[in-house]
Amino acid sequence: MKTLYLPILAVVALAGAAQAAPPAKVTVEGAWCRAAPKGAPAGGCYLTLTAPTADRLVSVETPAAARAEIHTMSMDGGVMRMRKLTDGLALPAGQAVALKPGAEHLMVIGPKIDLAAGATVPLTLRFKSAPAVTVNAPVKAVGGK
Ligand SMILES: [Cu+2]
């Protein structure tokens, strides 16, 4: 019977270690969403992520829209197209990853609020390892594509 206790003790020790050292938070800077015409089906949000250790942005949630997705843009036969990143977005250790117009971005689909300047879009970012971070992204009327 004595051998049975050893694995149980090992599991308890591991759980204790995990509690003592939670994964470091991902830094989120400069979050904003682009203003969209009233009734627009979706809007883009942008921010810069810096993960202290290699991580992955796996999903985004917002109470301000039906759903939110992580998108990338690429040229397809001379046309810029957006595509959902189903596996999320890699965040190399210590390297700032900018989500910006014309590149990787967050898409809020089916907005429940008017994406007008002055509004705020709360975005909860979920990572593979680091704890989730919620930021309030101000809506800005910014031109350009
Ligand atoms: Cu998009």
Side-chain angles (χ1 to χ4, degrees), residues 7 33-35 47 52 59 61 63-64 79 82-83 132 136 141:
C33 296
R34 195 205 297 263
L47 40 74
S59 66
E61 290 160 27
V79 181
M82 319 196 271
R83 178 168 63 81
N136 289 313

Side-chain angles (χ1 to χ4, degrees), residues 42-46 69-73 81-84 103-109:
C45 295
Y46 314 95
E69 295 180 351
I70 307 159
H71 279 190
T72 187
M73 290 187 99
R81 287 188 198 282
M82 319 196 271
R83 178 168 63 81
K84 183 183 175 184
E104 281 73 30
H105 59 277
L106 306 177
M107 202 94 220
V108 291
I109 298 160

Side-chain angles (χ1 to χ4, degrees), residues 2 10 27 41 66 68 79 83 88 97 99 112 126 132:
K2 200 171 185 181
T27 304
V79 181
R83 178 168 63 81
V97 175
L99 286 81
K112 295 173 183 172
R126 298 198 185 279

